[in-house]
Amino acid sequence: MKRLLVLLLALLVLLPAAKTEEVPSAWREAVLHVPASAMPSAMEEKDGLYSFLFEDSARSIAYHVELLPGNLHLTSLQMANNQMKGSARATYASTKLENLTKEYYPGTAWQGTYLLKEDGLSRFVLFLLDEEDGNFYRLEYDAATGDMMGYTVREDLPAEAGNNLLSMKQAVQAALAFAGQGTLMDVRLVKTENGYIYRVLLLIGGEEVLVMVDAQTGACLEEARQATVYQAAGSSRRRSPAQSTGQGAGGQTAQQAERDVDDDDDDWDDDDDDWDDDDD
């Protein structure tokens, strides 16, 4: 407890005086979203949001919490297991992850399942959107063991927030109408010098397209576009044959990647085509 108080006082000193009155309440709200074993590590005001870092040193897990100033509504929660980096081969059935995730996140709409390779190590990434409450989920799993490596949850603003901002669901709909239909990969509320905006990341035709959506007017602007390194997997591969022929990281096609998944998949049947899953 003494250590916690010392950390809180130290972090409090780093903030502008105008914010210090709200900081204790912000801390109390932030700790509600992480396990008791996670200790506060850092706090800053970034992109117009309160940003908190908690660390569970015993398990090498970090949690990142973002709150909206004023009403202190949770806008983002992220977890990363720093000991897990992925596996050299993707031998776990991605459709199994889809079905398992569906059980944990009932009522969500699956957006896509993809294989991501970084530094020669692979992970599966699943994206979900709760169409009722608007929350977005990104879930990451080791491609060989199926163990969860991390997650991102982007939480929509409640109607009673009273800030006259578009909901996250409305921002996503505006971005899709502007840029074209695709897979939702991320959505995040941030504040700029011109007010709040949503950064909506879409996967369209083998490209990642970043659309900025004005959180008050819904006006859209394409901010960036680049070739994706994500390879369609699981139900995404069956649903989007055009995307599955594209080259991914290291020149490997998504079809080749999926063959890698199935080749060593002796412990799992791969017949669960009624997708599932999920993610945030």
Side-chain angles (χ1 to χ4, degrees):
M1 179 60 72
K2 288 184 178 179
R3 182 190 172 200
L4 175 60
L5 291 175
V6 170
L7 284 170
L8 292 178
L9 289 172
L11 294 168
L12 200 70
V13 172
L14 298 177
L15 291 174
K19 298 290 185 179
T20 56
E21 292 185 3
E22 193 174 46
V23 168
S25 297
W27 272 110
R28 286 193 292 270
E29 176 63 27
V31 298
L32 296 177
H33 302 287
V34 299
S37 57
M39 297 296 294
S41 178
M43 176 188 179
E44 63 178 333
E45 189 173 359
K46 181 180 180 182
D47 296 330
L49 303 171
Y50 289 137
S51 178
F52 301 86
L53 176 64
F54 295 85
E55 295 180 308
D56 185 337
S57 57
R59 297 190 296 164
S60 296
I61 294 178
Y63 298 88
H64 183 206
V65 179
E66 290 184 341
L67 303 177
L68 190 66
N71 57 30
L72 302 182
H73 177 71
L74 175 71
T75 62
S76 178
L77 173 62
Q78 295 176 289
M79 181 277 282
N81 188 320
N82 296 322
Q83 289 184 323
M84 302 180 67
K85 305 298 182 183
S87 296
R89 296 201 63 191
T91 57
Y92 197 91
S94 56
T95 48
K96 284 290 183 181
L97 291 175
E98 291 179 345
N99 288 322
L100 288 172
T101 308
K102 185 177 182 180
E103 296 178 12
Y104 286 105
Y105 297 89
T108 56
W110 170 78
Q111 301 295 298
T113 302
Y114 294 87
L115 182 69
L116 176 62
K117 279 192 174 182
E118 294 180 323
D119 299 325
L121 300 177
S122 299
R123 68 185 69 187
F124 286 117
V125 184
L126 289 79
F127 303 105
L128 289 177
L129 183 66
D130 192 317
E131 295 186 334
E132 182 175 348
D133 61 25
N135 294 346
F136 170 78
Y137 303 86
R138 171 193 170 105
L139 308 178
E140 300 186 13
Y141 299 91
D142 185 284
T145 66
D147 294 331
M148 175 168 278
M149 299 174 59
Y151 60 74
T152 296
V153 181
R154 308 294 194 193
E155 188 159 317
D156 205 356
L157 298 174
E160 63 272 15
N163 45 33
N164 299 316
L165 300 179
L166 295 178
S167 69
M168 192 162 64
K169 182 178 179 179
Q170 290 173 319
V172 170
Q173 291 172 339
L176 289 170
F178 172 79
Q181 295 302 304
T183 299
L184 175 62
M185 301 181 73
D186 198 7
V187 53
R188 180 170 177 257
L189 179 67
V190 300
K191 187 178 183 180
T192 69
E193 59 183 12
N194 296 319
Y196 283 102
I197 62 170
Y198 285 98
R199 297 168 57 90
V200 182
L201 184 62
L202 304 171
L203 179 58
I204 303 175
E207 291 186 312
E208 294 176 30
V209 182
L210 178 61
V211 179
M212 315 297 274
V213 182
D214 188 298
Q216 290 188 309
T217 68
C220 297
L221 175 68
E222 183 178 312
E223 178 71 12
R225 180 184 292 259
Q226 66 180 23
T228 187
V229 296
Y230 287 78
Q231 304 170 39
S235 299
S236 286
R237 185 175 65 89
R238 291 189 292 273
R239 184 189 65 177
S240 306
Q243 285 187 358
S244 69
T245 60
Q247 293 286 333
Q252 184 186 40
T253 66
Q255 291 156 314
Q256 291 169 332
E258 193 66 15
R259 282 199 295 272
D260 284 345
V261 173
D262 293 337
D263 284 345
D264 296 336
D265 190 19
D266 299 333
D267 297 331
W268 301 96
D269 62 59
D270 207 1
D271 298 328
D272 43 345
D273 294 337
D274 39 359
W275 112 260
D276 115 350
D277 162 65
D278 105 279
D279 177 19
D280 356 309

